[in-house]
Amino acid sequence: QVQLVESGGTLVQAGGSLRLSCTASGSIRSINAMGWYRQAPGKQRERVAGFTGDGSTNYADSVKGRFTIARENAKNTMYLQMNSLKPEDTAVYYCSAVIETSTRITRPYWGQGTQVTVSS
């Protein structure tokens, strides 16, 4: 079955940078969309950035100009480069993807999450 795994979350000072990665593995036929979400304590999960099926990118207004999404298709890996980090960026970051498996079943998948803490 398909699995998504995030990594790279840690403690970082405000103004610093961090890069998160997400790798998909398993019986994958195609990845239709892929993106990053985050959830802070007591807050609703929000979409941070992502790729649509046609390869276009989208960013939340709160991170636009600071975060950059990228991918290496051959490795089924997606990255989130985070610059000029702020304390309000503190959250658990999740990778999500809409994946068609080798058996032609399409559904969304989620990673386990990685903690990003930005100190002031």
Side-chain angles (χ1 to χ4, degrees):
Q1 188 54 267
V2 172
Q3 183 179 27
L4 297 179
V5 179
E6 308 100 329
S7 64
T10 189
L11 173 67
V12 63
Q13 290 183 239
S17 298
L18 196 63
R19 189 183 73 161
L20 306 182
S21 65
C22 170
T23 299
S25 62
S27 54
I28 299 170
R29 187 174 188 273
S30 65
I31 299 178
N32 302 120
M34 203 169 189
W36 289 97
Y37 293 73
R38 68 184 182 187
Q39 187 166 27
K43 302 290 185 63
Q44 187 175 353
R45 184 174 297 185
E46 65 173 333
R47 182 179 175 87
V48 176
F51 291 98
T52 60
D54 64 359
S56 300
T57 58
N58 183 66
Y59 296 90
D61 289 340
S62 59
V63 307
K64 196 171 299 181
R66 298 189 297 120
F67 291 10
T68 302
I69 193 171
R71 64 184 178 184
E72 294 186 62
N73 292 333
K75 298 181 179 180
N76 286 333
T77 298
M78 176 179 64
Y79 304 94
L80 183 66
Q81 179 64 48
M82 304 184 292
N83 299 323
S84 301
L85 283 162
K86 305 174 181 179
E88 49 263 46
D89 293 319
T90 296
V92 177
Y93 284 71
Y94 297 90
C95 174
S96 182
V98 177
I99 296 174
E100 182 183 7
T101 68
S102 298
T103 56
R104 304 293 187 95
I105 299 173
T106 301
R107 54 155 284 194
Y109 291 85
W110 291 85
Q112 82 289 346
T114 185
Q115 176 71 48
V116 173
T117 302
V118 184
S119 64
S120 59

